[in-house]
Short mmCIF file of all heavy atoms in Angstrom, two decimals:
data_model
loop_
_atom_site.label_atom_id
_atom_site.label_comp_id
_atom_site.label_asym_id
_atom_site.label_seq_id
_atom_site.Cartn_x
_atom_site.Cartn_y
_atom_site.Cartn_z
N THR A 146 0.84 -1.18 0.00
CA THR A 146 0.00 0.00 0.00
C THR A 146 0.88 1.24 0.00
O THR A 146 1.99 1.22 0.51
CB THR A 146 -0.92 0.01 1.23
OG1 THR A 146 -0.12 0.15 2.38
CG2 THR A 146 -1.78 -1.21 1.30
N PRO A 147 0.37 2.33 -0.53
CA PRO A 147 1.15 3.57 -0.55
C PRO A 147 1.24 4.23 0.80
O PRO A 147 1.99 5.17 0.99
CB PRO A 147 0.42 4.44 -1.56
CG PRO A 147 -0.98 3.93 -1.56
CD PRO A 147 -0.87 2.47 -1.27
N ARG A 148 0.49 3.76 1.75
CA ARG A 148 0.43 4.42 3.05
C ARG A 148 1.79 4.37 3.74
O ARG A 148 2.36 3.31 3.91
CB ARG A 148 -0.62 3.71 3.88
CG ARG A 148 -0.98 4.42 5.10
CD ARG A 148 -2.18 3.77 5.72
NE ARG A 148 -2.71 4.63 6.74
CZ ARG A 148 -3.72 4.33 7.50
NH1 ARG A 148 -4.33 3.17 7.31
NH2 ARG A 148 -4.15 5.15 8.39
N GLY A 149 2.31 5.53 4.05
CA GLY A 149 3.58 5.61 4.76
C GLY A 149 4.80 5.52 3.85
O GLY A 149 5.92 5.54 4.33
N SER A 150 4.61 5.38 2.54
CA SER A 150 5.76 5.22 1.65
C SER A 150 6.20 6.55 1.02
O SER A 150 7.21 6.60 0.35
CB SER A 150 5.43 4.24 0.53
OG SER A 150 4.40 4.76 -0.28
N GLY A 151 5.42 7.60 1.17
CA GLY A 151 5.78 8.89 0.60
C GLY A 151 5.39 9.01 -0.86
O GLY A 151 5.82 9.93 -1.54
N THR A 152 4.61 8.08 -1.39
CA THR A 152 4.14 8.15 -2.77
C THR A 152 2.63 8.13 -2.79
O THR A 152 1.99 7.82 -1.79
CB THR A 152 4.67 6.97 -3.61
OG1 THR A 152 4.10 5.77 -3.11
CG2 THR A 152 6.18 6.88 -3.56
N ASN A 153 2.07 8.40 -3.98
CA ASN A 153 0.62 8.38 -4.07
C ASN A 153 0.10 7.01 -4.52
O ASN A 153 -1.09 6.84 -4.70
CB ASN A 153 0.13 9.47 -5.02
CG ASN A 153 0.63 9.25 -6.44
OD1 ASN A 153 1.34 8.30 -6.71
ND2 ASN A 153 0.24 10.14 -7.32
N GLY A 154 0.98 6.07 -4.78
CA GLY A 154 0.56 4.73 -5.16
C GLY A 154 0.48 4.50 -6.65
O GLY A 154 0.18 3.39 -7.09
N TYR A 155 0.74 5.53 -7.46
CA TYR A 155 0.68 5.36 -8.91
C TYR A 155 1.96 4.68 -9.38
O TYR A 155 3.07 5.13 -9.10
CB TYR A 155 0.53 6.73 -9.59
CG TYR A 155 0.34 6.64 -11.08
CD1 TYR A 155 -0.87 6.23 -11.63
CD2 TYR A 155 1.39 6.94 -11.94
CE1 TYR A 155 -1.04 6.15 -12.99
CE2 TYR A 155 1.22 6.87 -13.30
CZ TYR A 155 0.00 6.45 -13.83
OH TYR A 155 -0.17 6.36 -15.17
N VAL A 156 1.81 3.57 -10.08
CA VAL A 156 2.95 2.77 -10.52
C VAL A 156 3.30 3.13 -11.96
O VAL A 156 2.43 3.17 -12.83
CB VAL A 156 2.62 1.26 -10.42
CG1 VAL A 156 3.80 0.43 -10.91
CG2 VAL A 156 2.26 0.90 -9.00
N GLN A 157 4.60 3.39 -12.20
CA GLN A 157 5.08 3.69 -13.55
C GLN A 157 6.15 2.69 -13.94
O GLN A 157 6.89 2.19 -13.10
CB GLN A 157 5.68 5.09 -13.61
CG GLN A 157 4.69 6.19 -13.44
CD GLN A 157 5.36 7.55 -13.56
OE1 GLN A 157 6.55 7.69 -13.34
NE2 GLN A 157 4.57 8.55 -13.91
N ARG A 158 6.24 2.46 -15.25
CA ARG A 158 7.29 1.58 -15.75
C ARG A 158 8.60 2.35 -15.83
O ARG A 158 8.62 3.54 -16.10
CB ARG A 158 6.96 1.10 -17.17
CG ARG A 158 5.88 0.09 -17.20
CD ARG A 158 5.56 -0.43 -18.57
NE ARG A 158 6.53 -0.10 -19.61
CZ ARG A 158 6.45 -0.51 -20.85
NH1 ARG A 158 5.44 -1.23 -21.24
NH2 ARG A 158 7.35 -0.18 -21.74
N ASN A 159 9.70 1.63 -15.67
CA ASN A 159 11.02 2.22 -15.84
C ASN A 159 11.42 2.00 -17.31
O ASN A 159 11.86 0.93 -17.69
CB ASN A 159 12.02 1.56 -14.90
CG ASN A 159 13.39 2.18 -15.01
OD1 ASN A 159 13.59 3.11 -15.77
ND2 ASN A 159 14.33 1.65 -14.25
N LEU A 160 11.25 3.04 -18.14
CA LEU A 160 11.51 2.90 -19.58
C LEU A 160 12.99 2.91 -19.92
O LEU A 160 13.36 2.60 -21.05
CB LEU A 160 10.78 4.01 -20.34
CG LEU A 160 9.25 3.97 -20.24
CD1 LEU A 160 8.65 5.15 -20.96
CD2 LEU A 160 8.73 2.67 -20.81
N SER A 161 13.84 3.24 -18.98
CA SER A 161 15.28 3.24 -19.27
C SER A 161 15.82 1.83 -19.38
O SER A 161 16.86 1.61 -19.99
CB SER A 161 16.04 4.01 -18.20
OG SER A 161 15.92 3.34 -16.96
N SER A 162 15.15 0.87 -18.83
CA SER A 162 15.64 -0.51 -18.90
C SER A 162 14.95 -1.33 -19.98
O SER A 162 15.29 -2.49 -20.17
CB SER A 162 15.44 -1.19 -17.55
OG SER A 162 14.05 -1.33 -17.29
N VAL A 163 14.01 -0.73 -20.71
CA VAL A 163 13.31 -1.45 -21.75
C VAL A 163 14.19 -1.54 -22.98
O VAL A 163 14.75 -0.54 -23.43
CB VAL A 163 11.98 -0.75 -22.11
CG1 VAL A 163 11.29 -1.44 -23.27
CG2 VAL A 163 11.06 -0.73 -20.90
N ARG A 164 14.35 -2.74 -23.56
CA ARG A 164 15.15 -2.90 -24.78
C ARG A 164 14.30 -2.54 -25.97
O ARG A 164 13.17 -2.99 -26.11
CB ARG A 164 15.62 -4.33 -24.90
CG ARG A 164 16.65 -4.67 -23.84
CD ARG A 164 17.44 -5.82 -24.26
NE ARG A 164 18.09 -5.49 -25.52
CZ ARG A 164 19.13 -6.11 -26.02
NH1 ARG A 164 19.64 -7.10 -25.37
NH2 ARG A 164 19.64 -5.78 -27.16
N HIS A 165 14.87 -1.70 -26.83
CA HIS A 165 14.16 -1.29 -28.03
C HIS A 165 14.47 -2.24 -29.17
O HIS A 165 15.47 -2.95 -29.17
CB HIS A 165 14.55 0.13 -28.41
CG HIS A 165 14.16 1.14 -27.38
ND1 HIS A 165 12.86 1.53 -27.19
CD2 HIS A 165 14.88 1.80 -26.46
CE1 HIS A 165 12.81 2.40 -26.21
NE2 HIS A 165 14.03 2.59 -25.74
N LYS A 166 13.61 -2.21 -30.15
CA LYS A 166 13.77 -3.09 -31.30
C LYS A 166 15.03 -2.76 -32.09
O LYS A 166 15.66 -3.63 -32.67
CB LYS A 166 12.55 -2.94 -32.21
CG LYS A 166 12.26 -4.11 -33.06
CD LYS A 166 10.95 -3.93 -33.78
CE LYS A 166 10.45 -5.26 -34.25
NZ LYS A 166 9.19 -5.17 -34.94
N LYS A 167 15.45 -1.49 -32.11
CA LYS A 167 16.61 -1.09 -32.89
C LYS A 167 17.91 -1.62 -32.29
O LYS A 167 18.93 -1.61 -32.95
CB LYS A 167 16.67 0.41 -33.05
CG LYS A 167 16.92 1.16 -31.76
CD LYS A 167 17.00 2.64 -32.02
CE LYS A 167 17.27 3.36 -30.71
NZ LYS A 167 17.34 4.79 -30.91
N ASP A 168 17.91 -2.07 -31.05
CA ASP A 168 19.10 -2.62 -30.43
C ASP A 168 19.46 -3.99 -31.01
O ASP A 168 20.61 -4.38 -30.99
CB ASP A 168 18.94 -2.74 -28.92
CG ASP A 168 18.86 -1.38 -28.26
OD1 ASP A 168 19.30 -0.39 -28.88
OD2 ASP A 168 18.37 -1.31 -27.12
N ARG A 169 18.46 -4.69 -31.52
CA ARG A 169 18.71 -6.02 -32.08
C ARG A 169 19.34 -5.89 -33.46
O ARG A 169 19.06 -4.98 -34.21
CB ARG A 169 17.41 -6.82 -32.21
CG ARG A 169 16.89 -7.31 -30.88
CD ARG A 169 15.74 -8.24 -31.08
NE ARG A 169 14.62 -7.44 -31.59
CZ ARG A 169 13.68 -7.91 -32.38
NH1 ARG A 169 13.69 -9.15 -32.79
NH2 ARG A 169 12.70 -7.14 -32.80
N VAL A 170 20.19 -6.84 -33.79
CA VAL A 170 20.81 -6.87 -35.11
C VAL A 170 20.20 -8.02 -35.87
O VAL A 170 20.26 -9.17 -35.45
CB VAL A 170 22.34 -7.05 -34.99
CG1 VAL A 170 22.96 -7.16 -36.36
CG2 VAL A 170 22.94 -5.91 -34.20
N ASP A 171 19.60 -7.70 -37.01
CA ASP A 171 19.04 -8.73 -37.87
C ASP A 171 20.06 -9.00 -38.97
O ASP A 171 20.28 -8.15 -39.84
CB ASP A 171 17.70 -8.28 -38.48
CG ASP A 171 16.63 -8.12 -37.42
OD1 ASP A 171 16.69 -8.84 -36.41
OD2 ASP A 171 15.74 -7.28 -37.62
N TYR A 172 20.68 -10.16 -38.92
CA TYR A 172 21.66 -10.51 -39.94
C TYR A 172 20.95 -10.95 -41.20
O TYR A 172 20.02 -11.73 -41.16
CB TYR A 172 22.59 -11.60 -39.42
CG TYR A 172 23.43 -11.12 -38.27
CD1 TYR A 172 23.12 -11.47 -36.96
CD2 TYR A 172 24.52 -10.29 -38.49
CE1 TYR A 172 23.88 -11.01 -35.91
CE2 TYR A 172 25.28 -9.83 -37.45
CZ TYR A 172 24.97 -10.20 -36.15
OH TYR A 172 25.72 -9.73 -35.12
N LYS A 173 21.40 -10.44 -42.32
CA LYS A 173 20.77 -10.74 -43.59
C LYS A 173 21.73 -11.53 -44.47
O LYS A 173 22.93 -11.54 -44.24
CB LYS A 173 20.36 -9.44 -44.29
CG LYS A 173 19.40 -8.61 -43.46
CD LYS A 173 18.89 -7.43 -44.23
CE LYS A 173 18.01 -6.55 -43.39
NZ LYS A 173 16.84 -7.16 -42.88
N SER A 174 21.18 -12.15 -45.49
CA SER A 174 22.02 -12.92 -46.40
C SER A 174 22.81 -11.97 -47.30
O SER A 174 22.53 -10.78 -47.38
CB SER A 174 21.15 -13.85 -47.25
OG SER A 174 20.35 -13.09 -48.13
N GLU A 175 23.79 -12.51 -48.01
CA GLU A 175 24.63 -11.70 -48.90
C GLU A 175 23.79 -11.06 -50.01
O GLU A 175 24.02 -9.92 -50.38
CB GLU A 175 25.73 -12.57 -49.51
CG GLU A 175 26.78 -13.02 -48.52
CD GLU A 175 27.60 -11.86 -48.00
OE1 GLU A 175 27.88 -10.92 -48.78
OE2 GLU A 175 27.96 -11.89 -46.81
N GLU A 176 22.83 -11.79 -50.52
CA GLU A 176 21.99 -11.27 -51.60
C GLU A 176 21.19 -10.07 -51.13
O GLU A 176 21.07 -9.06 -51.83
CB GLU A 176 21.05 -12.36 -52.12
CG GLU A 176 21.77 -13.54 -52.73
CD GLU A 176 20.87 -14.74 -52.92
OE1 GLU A 176 19.70 -14.68 -52.48
OE2 GLU A 176 21.35 -15.72 -53.49
N GLU A 177 20.63 -10.16 -49.93
CA GLU A 177 19.85 -9.05 -49.40
C GLU A 177 20.73 -7.83 -49.14
O GLU A 177 20.32 -6.69 -49.39
CB GLU A 177 19.15 -9.47 -48.10
CG GLU A 177 18.04 -10.48 -48.32
CD GLU A 177 17.42 -10.95 -47.02
OE1 GLU A 177 18.00 -10.68 -45.94
OE2 GLU A 177 16.37 -11.60 -47.06
N LEU A 178 21.96 -8.06 -48.66
CA LEU A 178 22.88 -6.95 -48.40
C LEU A 178 23.26 -6.25 -49.71
O LEU A 178 23.30 -5.02 -49.77
CB LEU A 178 24.13 -7.45 -47.69
CG LEU A 178 23.95 -7.85 -46.23
CD1 LEU A 178 25.24 -8.45 -45.69
CD2 LEU A 178 23.52 -6.69 -45.39
N LYS A 179 23.52 -7.01 -50.76
CA LYS A 179 23.86 -6.41 -52.05
C LYS A 179 22.69 -5.61 -52.60
O LYS A 179 22.85 -4.53 -53.16
CB LYS A 179 24.27 -7.48 -53.05
CG LYS A 179 25.64 -8.06 -52.76
CD LYS A 179 26.02 -9.10 -53.78
CE LYS A 179 27.37 -9.70 -53.42
NZ LYS A 179 27.77 -10.74 -54.37
N LYS A 180 21.48 -6.14 -52.41
CA LYS A 180 20.29 -5.44 -52.89
C LYS A 180 20.11 -4.12 -52.14
O LYS A 180 19.80 -3.09 -52.73
CB LYS A 180 19.07 -6.34 -52.68
CG LYS A 180 17.78 -5.77 -53.20
CD LYS A 180 16.65 -6.74 -52.99
CE LYS A 180 15.32 -6.15 -53.41
NZ LYS A 180 14.21 -7.04 -53.12
N LEU A 181 20.34 -4.12 -50.83
CA LEU A 181 20.21 -2.91 -50.04
C LEU A 181 21.28 -1.89 -50.41
O LEU A 181 21.01 -0.69 -50.49
CB LEU A 181 20.30 -3.24 -48.55
CG LEU A 181 19.12 -4.01 -47.95
CD1 LEU A 181 19.42 -4.42 -46.53
CD2 LEU A 181 17.86 -3.18 -48.00
N GLU A 182 22.52 -2.36 -50.64
CA GLU A 182 23.61 -1.44 -51.00
C GLU A 182 23.35 -0.81 -52.36
O GLU A 182 23.65 0.36 -52.57
CB GLU A 182 24.94 -2.19 -51.00
CG GLU A 182 25.45 -2.50 -49.62
CD GLU A 182 26.73 -3.31 -49.64
OE1 GLU A 182 27.23 -3.62 -50.74
OE2 GLU A 182 27.22 -3.63 -48.56
N SER A 183 22.81 -1.58 -53.29
CA SER A 183 22.54 -1.02 -54.61
C SER A 183 21.45 0.05 -54.54
O SER A 183 21.43 0.98 -55.33
CB SER A 183 22.14 -2.12 -55.59
OG SER A 183 20.89 -2.67 -55.24
N GLY A 184 20.55 -0.08 -53.60
CA GLY A 184 19.50 0.93 -53.43
C GLY A 184 20.02 2.22 -52.85
O GLY A 184 19.44 3.28 -53.03
N LEU A 185 21.16 2.18 -52.16
CA LEU A 185 21.74 3.37 -51.56
C LEU A 185 22.43 4.25 -52.59
O LEU A 185 22.52 5.46 -52.42
CB LEU A 185 22.74 2.98 -50.47
CG LEU A 185 22.15 2.33 -49.22
CD1 LEU A 185 23.28 1.91 -48.28
CD2 LEU A 185 21.20 3.26 -48.51
N VAL A 186 22.94 3.65 -53.65
CA VAL A 186 23.66 4.40 -54.67
C VAL A 186 22.64 5.01 -55.63
O VAL A 186 21.89 4.33 -56.29
CB VAL A 186 24.64 3.48 -55.44
CG1 VAL A 186 25.33 4.27 -56.53
CG2 VAL A 186 25.63 2.86 -54.50
N LYS A 187 22.63 6.34 -55.67
CA LYS A 187 21.68 7.04 -56.52
C LYS A 187 22.35 7.39 -57.84
O LYS A 187 23.53 7.73 -57.89
CB LYS A 187 21.20 8.33 -55.86
CG LYS A 187 20.32 8.12 -54.68
CD LYS A 187 19.83 9.46 -54.18
CE LYS A 187 18.89 9.29 -53.03
NZ LYS A 187 18.40 10.59 -52.54
N LYS A 188 21.56 7.37 -58.90
CA LYS A 188 22.05 7.81 -60.20
C LYS A 188 21.95 9.33 -60.23
O LYS A 188 21.03 9.92 -59.67
CB LYS A 188 21.20 7.21 -61.31
CG LYS A 188 21.33 5.70 -61.41
CD LYS A 188 20.49 5.16 -62.54
CE LYS A 188 20.62 3.65 -62.62
NZ LYS A 188 19.78 3.08 -63.67
N PRO A 189 22.92 9.97 -60.90
CA PRO A 189 22.87 11.45 -60.95
C PRO A 189 21.67 11.93 -61.76
O PRO A 189 21.25 11.29 -62.72
CB PRO A 189 24.18 11.82 -61.62
CG PRO A 189 24.67 10.60 -62.29
CD PRO A 189 24.08 9.44 -61.56
N ASN A 190 21.17 13.07 -61.37
CA ASN A 190 20.04 13.68 -62.04
C ASN A 190 20.49 14.21 -63.40
O ASN A 190 21.42 15.01 -63.49
CB ASN A 190 19.48 14.81 -61.19
CG ASN A 190 18.19 15.34 -61.73
OD1 ASN A 190 17.87 15.17 -62.90
ND2 ASN A 190 17.44 16.00 -60.86
N GLN A 191 19.84 13.77 -64.47
CA GLN A 191 20.24 14.13 -65.83
C GLN A 191 20.10 15.63 -66.07
O GLN A 191 20.92 16.22 -66.76
CB GLN A 191 19.41 13.35 -66.85
CG GLN A 191 19.95 13.43 -68.26
CD GLN A 191 21.35 12.85 -68.38
OE1 GLN A 191 21.66 11.86 -67.75
NE2 GLN A 191 22.18 13.48 -69.17
N ASP A 192 19.09 16.26 -65.51
CA ASP A 192 18.90 17.70 -65.67
C ASP A 192 20.08 18.49 -65.09
O ASP A 192 20.54 19.47 -65.67
CB ASP A 192 17.60 18.16 -65.01
CG ASP A 192 16.37 17.62 -65.72
OD1 ASP A 192 16.49 17.30 -66.92
OD2 ASP A 192 15.32 17.54 -65.07
N ILE A 193 20.55 18.05 -63.94
CA ILE A 193 21.68 18.73 -63.30
C ILE A 193 22.94 18.55 -64.14
O ILE A 193 23.72 19.49 -64.33
CB ILE A 193 21.89 18.22 -61.87
CG1 ILE A 193 20.68 18.61 -61.00
CG2 ILE A 193 23.19 18.75 -61.28
CD1 ILE A 193 20.72 18.06 -59.61
N LEU A 194 23.15 17.35 -64.67
CA LEU A 194 24.33 17.11 -65.51
C LEU A 194 24.28 17.96 -66.77
O LEU A 194 25.30 18.53 -67.19
CB LEU A 194 24.41 15.63 -65.88
CG LEU A 194 24.70 14.67 -64.72
CD1 LEU A 194 24.66 13.23 -65.21
CD2 LEU A 194 26.02 14.99 -64.06
N ASP A 195 23.11 18.08 -67.39
CA ASP A 195 22.95 18.91 -68.58
C ASP A 195 23.24 20.38 -68.26
O ASP A 195 23.90 21.08 -69.03
CB ASP A 195 21.54 18.77 -69.16
CG ASP A 195 21.31 17.43 -69.81
OD1 ASP A 195 22.31 16.73 -70.11
OD2 ASP A 195 20.14 17.07 -70.02
N HIS A 196 22.75 20.84 -67.12
CA HIS A 196 22.96 22.22 -66.72
C HIS A 196 24.46 22.50 -66.53
O HIS A 196 24.97 23.54 -66.99
CB HIS A 196 22.19 22.51 -65.44
CG HIS A 196 22.32 23.91 -64.96
ND1 HIS A 196 21.73 24.98 -65.60
CD2 HIS A 196 23.01 24.43 -63.91
CE1 HIS A 196 22.03 26.09 -64.95
NE2 HIS A 196 22.80 25.78 -63.93
N GLU A 197 25.16 21.59 -65.87
CA GLU A 197 26.60 21.76 -65.66
C GLU A 197 27.34 21.80 -66.99
O GLU A 197 28.25 22.61 -67.19
CB GLU A 197 27.16 20.64 -64.77
CG GLU A 197 26.75 20.73 -63.33
CD GLU A 197 27.35 21.94 -62.65
OE1 GLU A 197 28.50 22.31 -62.94
OE2 GLU A 197 26.64 22.55 -61.82
N ARG A 198 26.95 20.93 -67.93
CA ARG A 198 27.58 20.90 -69.24
C ARG A 198 27.35 22.22 -69.97
O ARG A 198 28.29 22.80 -70.55
CB ARG A 198 27.02 19.73 -70.06
CG ARG A 198 27.68 19.55 -71.41
CD ARG A 198 27.10 18.39 -72.17
NE ARG A 198 25.64 18.40 -72.24
CZ ARG A 198 24.92 19.15 -73.08
NH1 ARG A 198 25.52 19.96 -73.92
NH2 ARG A 198 23.60 19.08 -73.08
N LYS A 199 26.13 22.74 -69.91
CA LYS A 199 25.82 24.01 -70.56
C LYS A 199 26.60 25.16 -69.94
O LYS A 199 27.05 26.08 -70.64
CB LYS A 199 24.33 24.30 -70.49
CG LYS A 199 23.51 23.38 -71.36
CD LYS A 199 22.02 23.62 -71.16
CE LYS A 199 21.19 22.63 -71.97
NZ LYS A 199 19.75 22.81 -71.72
N ARG A 200 26.78 25.14 -68.64
CA ARG A 200 27.55 26.19 -67.96
C ARG A 200 29.01 26.17 -68.42
O ARG A 200 29.63 27.21 -68.62
CB ARG A 200 27.49 26.02 -66.45
CG ARG A 200 26.14 26.39 -65.87
CD ARG A 200 26.16 26.37 -64.38
NE ARG A 200 27.09 27.38 -63.88
CZ ARG A 200 27.63 27.37 -62.67
NH1 ARG A 200 27.36 26.40 -61.84
NH2 ARG A 200 28.44 28.31 -62.29
N LYS A 201 29.57 24.97 -68.58
CA LYS A 201 30.95 24.86 -69.04
C LYS A 201 31.10 25.41 -70.46
O LYS A 201 32.07 26.10 -70.77
CB LYS A 201 31.42 23.41 -68.98
CG LYS A 201 31.67 22.92 -67.57
CD LYS A 201 32.11 21.48 -67.56
CE LYS A 201 32.28 20.98 -66.13
NZ LYS A 201 32.66 19.56 -66.10
N VAL A 202 30.12 25.09 -71.32
CA VAL A 202 30.15 25.59 -72.70
C VAL A 202 30.04 27.11 -72.69
O VAL A 202 30.78 27.80 -73.41
CB VAL A 202 29.02 24.94 -73.53
CG1 VAL A 202 28.88 25.63 -74.87
CG2 VAL A 202 29.28 23.46 -73.72
N GLU A 203 29.15 27.64 -71.89
CA GLU A 203 28.97 29.09 -71.82
C GLU A 203 30.24 29.77 -71.32
O GLU A 203 30.65 30.82 -71.84
CB GLU A 203 27.79 29.42 -70.91
CG GLU A 203 27.43 30.88 -70.90
CD GLU A 203 26.21 31.19 -70.05
OE1 GLU A 203 25.68 30.26 -69.41
OE2 GLU A 203 25.81 32.36 -70.04
N LEU A 204 30.88 29.18 -70.32
CA LEU A 204 32.11 29.75 -69.79
C LEU A 204 33.20 29.76 -70.86
O LEU A 204 33.93 30.75 -71.01
CB LEU A 204 32.57 28.96 -68.57
CG LEU A 204 33.84 29.43 -67.88
CD1 LEU A 204 33.65 30.84 -67.33
CD2 LEU A 204 34.22 28.47 -66.78
N LYS A 205 33.31 28.68 -71.61
CA LYS A 205 34.30 28.60 -72.69
C LYS A 205 34.02 29.67 -73.75
O LYS A 205 34.95 30.32 -74.25
CB LYS A 205 34.28 27.20 -73.31
CG LYS A 205 35.35 26.96 -74.31
CD LYS A 205 36.70 26.90 -73.63
CE LYS A 205 37.76 26.50 -74.64
NZ LYS A 205 39.09 26.54 -74.10
N CYS A 206 32.76 29.90 -74.09
CA CYS A 206 32.39 30.93 -75.07
C CYS A 206 32.78 32.31 -74.57
O CYS A 206 33.30 33.15 -75.34
CB CYS A 206 30.89 30.89 -75.36
SG CYS A 206 30.37 29.46 -76.30
N ILE A 207 32.56 32.59 -73.30
CA ILE A 207 32.90 33.90 -72.72
C ILE A 207 34.41 34.10 -72.75
O ILE A 207 34.91 35.18 -73.08
CB ILE A 207 32.34 34.03 -71.29
CG1 ILE A 207 30.82 34.10 -71.35
CG2 ILE A 207 32.93 35.25 -70.59
CD1 ILE A 207 30.14 34.03 -69.99
N GLU A 208 35.16 33.03 -72.43
CA GLU A 208 36.62 33.14 -72.46
C GLU A 208 37.11 33.42 -73.88
O GLU A 208 37.99 34.25 -74.10
CB GLU A 208 37.26 31.86 -71.91
CG GLU A 208 37.08 31.68 -70.42
CD GLU A 208 37.59 30.33 -69.95
OE1 GLU A 208 37.94 29.49 -70.78
OE2 GLU A 208 37.65 30.14 -68.72
N LEU A 209 36.54 32.74 -74.86
CA LEU A 209 36.94 32.95 -76.24
C LEU A 209 36.56 34.36 -76.71
O LEU A 209 37.31 35.01 -77.44
CB LEU A 209 36.28 31.90 -77.15
CG LEU A 209 36.84 30.48 -77.03
CD1 LEU A 209 36.00 29.51 -77.87
CD2 LEU A 209 38.29 30.43 -77.47
N GLU A 210 35.40 34.83 -76.28
CA GLU A 210 34.97 36.18 -76.64
C GLU A 210 35.93 37.21 -76.07
O GLU A 210 36.34 38.17 -76.78
CB GLU A 210 33.56 36.42 -76.11
CG GLU A 210 32.98 37.76 -76.47
CD GLU A 210 31.60 37.99 -75.90
OE1 GLU A 210 31.02 37.03 -75.32
OE2 GLU A 210 31.10 39.12 -76.02
N ASP A 211 36.34 37.05 -74.83
CA ASP A 211 37.30 37.97 -74.21
C ASP A 211 38.64 37.94 -74.95
O ASP A 211 39.25 38.98 -75.21
CB ASP A 211 37.50 37.62 -72.74
CG ASP A 211 36.31 37.97 -71.88
OD1 ASP A 211 35.47 38.78 -72.34
OD2 ASP A 211 36.23 37.45 -70.75
N MET A 212 39.07 36.75 -75.33
CA MET A 212 40.34 36.61 -76.04
C MET A 212 40.26 37.30 -77.41
O MET A 212 41.20 37.99 -77.81
CB MET A 212 40.69 35.13 -76.21
CG MET A 212 42.05 34.89 -76.82
SD MET A 212 42.38 33.16 -77.09
CE MET A 212 41.28 32.81 -78.46
N MET A 213 39.14 37.14 -78.10
CA MET A 213 38.98 37.75 -79.42
C MET A 213 38.91 39.28 -79.31
O MET A 213 39.43 40.00 -80.18
CB MET A 213 37.75 37.20 -80.11
CG MET A 213 37.89 35.75 -80.52
SD MET A 213 36.39 35.06 -81.19
CE MET A 213 36.27 35.90 -82.74
N GLU A 214 38.28 39.80 -78.26
CA GLU A 214 38.22 41.25 -78.06
C GLU A 214 39.60 41.82 -77.81
O GLU A 214 39.92 42.92 -78.26
CB GLU A 214 37.28 41.59 -76.91
CG GLU A 214 35.81 41.45 -77.25
CD GLU A 214 34.91 41.80 -76.08
OE1 GLU A 214 35.42 42.11 -74.97
OE2 GLU A 214 33.68 41.74 -76.25
N GLU A 215 40.43 41.10 -77.06
CA GLU A 215 41.78 41.56 -76.78
C GLU A 215 42.62 41.60 -78.06
O GLU A 215 43.46 42.47 -78.23
CB GLU A 215 42.46 40.65 -75.74
CG GLU A 215 41.89 40.81 -74.35
CD GLU A 215 42.50 39.81 -73.36
OE1 GLU A 215 43.35 38.98 -73.77
OE2 GLU A 215 42.11 39.85 -72.19
N GLN A 216 42.37 40.63 -78.96
CA GLN A 216 43.16 40.57 -80.19
C GLN A 216 42.64 41.56 -81.23
O GLN A 216 43.35 41.87 -82.18
CB GLN A 216 43.11 39.15 -80.78
CG GLN A 216 43.86 38.13 -79.95
CD GLN A 216 43.77 36.73 -80.54
OE1 GLN A 216 43.05 36.49 -81.51
NE2 GLN A 216 44.48 35.81 -79.91
N GLY A 217 41.45 42.03 -81.04
CA GLY A 217 40.91 43.03 -81.98
C GLY A 217 39.97 42.34 -82.88
O GLY A 217 39.42 42.49 -83.81
#
């Protein structure tokens, strides 16, 4: 009984000692690991690659234009 114990009698769980599911290690087969690793590697975005290529071409054009202006 809570009488004389200095508490109101409400019982709570101690969550610091509860084991969580993430603490367990689930070992997987080699095939599953390869499949998971392949999913982590992303292919580059084609739009971004095209944009970078266009920027390089534009930069080269500007450099050539500056060189031609200097030469007359």
Side-chain angles (χ1 to χ4, degrees):
T146 66
R148 192 170 193 183
S150 65
T152 65
N153 63 359
Y155 185 75
V156 179
Q157 292 182 336
R158 287 182 13 177
N159 182 1
L160 296 177
S161 65
S162 66
V163 176
R164 291 202 59 161
H165 296 286
K166 205 173 199 179
K167 67 179 181 180
D168 292 341
R169 286 188 291 151
V170 177
D171 294 330
Y172 294 102
K173 301 187 183 299
S174 68
E175 291 294 324
E176 297 166 356
E177 291 176 348
L178 288 175
K179 287 181 183 179
K180 183 178 176 184
L181 290 173
E182 286 177 0
S183 67
L185 292 176
V186 178
K187 290 184 178 180
K188 294 181 181 178
N190 188 339
Q191 193 62 38
D192 292 336
I193 294 175
L194 293 176
D195 289 343
H196 181 72
E197 288 293 324
R198 184 180 50 80
K199 290 175 184 177
R200 287 187 64 200
K201 287 179 183 177
V202 169
E203 186 177 4
L204 181 62
K205 187 69 174 175
C206 289
I207 292 172
E208 289 174 352
L209 287 174
E210 183 181 353
D211 288 342
M212 186 183 71
M213 291 174 70
E214 285 180 358
E215 289 175 359
Q216 291 179 354

